[in-house]
Amino acid sequence: MDETAPDETTLCRFRQALIGAGLGDRLLEELNRQLEGRGLMFKQGTMIDATLMAAQAKPPAATASGEAGRSDLDPDANWTRQRGWSHLGYKAHVAMDQGSRLIRRARLTPAKVYESQVADELILGDEKAVYADRAYEHKERRRRLKVLGIKDRIMHRSHKHQAGLPHWQRQRNRLIAPIRAGIEHVFATLKRCYGYCRVRYFRLDRNALQLELLCLALNLRRAAVITA
């Protein structure tokens, strides 16, 4: 503690070394292994969801055809629309342990990637149930959960050949919704306590590491609360 703090160059090189060694995900896994060894990972259920993160780069002007352009500084950032608004950036996909609210796994993708495309990477296989909103509904995913003996708690959505959801599916959604919404606490903490509303760097690999390290920090914070 009596030594001087590392300068920006040292921290940058260390971050690049972590990326080069592919250690971001492995660091979170190792922390979670230790937390599980202390009985802090309950595995009663996994809640999965995603949230948008604005790009560090300024959104470029629209092209001559009127399409939104991509950033030269951060070509990995991509566009998506939410509630009628266009967003340039990334999407943080998170799996949270029910009960402990510890983050079990996290993935960062360009914002254009749909939630359902990443869902299977967030299912660990050792949980008793999986909770998710309508965006994650997929017949094959439901079959996989059944084969694994995991309770399917993914909400239903109506399809183009349906006038609306049957009564039992609407009731099922109402029961799942408040439990599934628990993962919003993770996103709120990341944004409120860690200022994670906008990614810090250019390029996917650097920002993916940032997300992993933030999740690691959040789990340490949460573990201290659980064991207090």
Side-chain angles (χ1 to χ4, degrees):
M1 293 300 292
D2 58 343
E3 296 181 358
T4 58
D7 59 20
E8 182 181 357
T9 301
T10 302
L11 293 175
C12 181
R13 287 175 178 172
F14 180 68
R15 185 177 67 247
Q16 288 302 117
L18 288 177
I19 294 171
L23 289 178
D25 191 44
R26 289 167 59 188
L27 286 172
L28 183 60
E29 288 179 357
E30 173 57 24
L31 173 64
N32 286 345
R33 184 189 67 79
Q34 295 182 34
L35 294 177
E36 183 178 352
R38 294 183 175 228
L40 302 181
M41 196 72 71
F42 303 152
K43 298 184 179 179
Q44 294 300 309
T46 297
M47 289 173 271
I48 60 177
D49 204 352
T51 188
L52 289 174
M53 295 292 132
Q56 183 62 231
K58 182 180 178 181
T63 62
S65 62
E67 297 180 355
R70 301 284 290 277
S71 170
D72 293 331
L73 290 173
D74 191 0
D76 293 334
N78 211 329
W79 290 93
T80 191
R81 289 184 66 82
Q82 186 181 65
R83 299 185 184 93
W85 294 87
S86 295
H87 301 266
L88 175 67
Y90 294 87
K91 192 174 287 184
H93 308 261
V94 172
M96 186 189 80
D97 183 56
Q98 184 185 12
S100 69
R101 292 185 182 176
L102 294 168
I103 298 176
R104 301 201 64 189
R105 186 169 288 172
R107 295 288 184 268
L108 190 75
T109 66
K112 191 175 182 180
V113 175
Y114 293 113
E115 288 90 334
S116 187
Q117 292 178 254
V118 187
D120 293 334
E121 294 184 48
L122 301 177
I123 298 172
L124 283 297
D126 57 2
E127 57 270 273
K128 293 184 179 179
V130 170
Y131 294 85
D133 65 22
R134 298 172 180 84
Y136 294 91
E137 184 181 37
H138 193 281
K139 289 183 179 179
E140 190 56 41
R141 183 164 300 119
R142 293 190 187 279
R143 292 194 195 99
R144 181 193 170 205
L145 292 175
K146 185 175 182 180
V147 169
L148 292 173
I150 299 172
K151 293 178 181 178
D152 173 6
R153 297 294 183 262
I154 301 174
M155 296 173 68
H156 291 277
R157 62 179 175 182
S158 58
H159 300 281
K160 60 181 179 180
H161 299 299
Q162 287 180 297
L165 288 176
H167 176 73
W168 72 270
Q169 289 186 350
R170 294 197 304 271
Q171 288 293 100
R172 185 174 182 273
N173 283 356
R174 290 192 189 100
L175 294 173
I176 293 173
I179 302 174
R180 181 216 66 79
I183 196 171
E184 298 298 335
H185 292 284
V186 166
F187 297 138
T189 301
L190 286 172
K191 294 180 180 182
R192 183 182 66 251
C193 299
Y194 297 95
Y196 193 54
C197 298
R198 178 184 302 274
V199 297
R200 183 175 297 177
Y201 309 106
F202 302 133
R203 306 306 297 255
L204 178 62
D205 56 355
R206 298 174 184 176
N207 288 312
L209 177 66
Q210 182 200 15
L211 174 61
E212 297 282 0
L213 295 179
L214 286 173
C215 291
L216 191 148
L218 191 149
N219 278 6
L220 288 172
R221 178 192 185 110
R222 181 61 186 162
V225 172
I226 297 174
T227 56

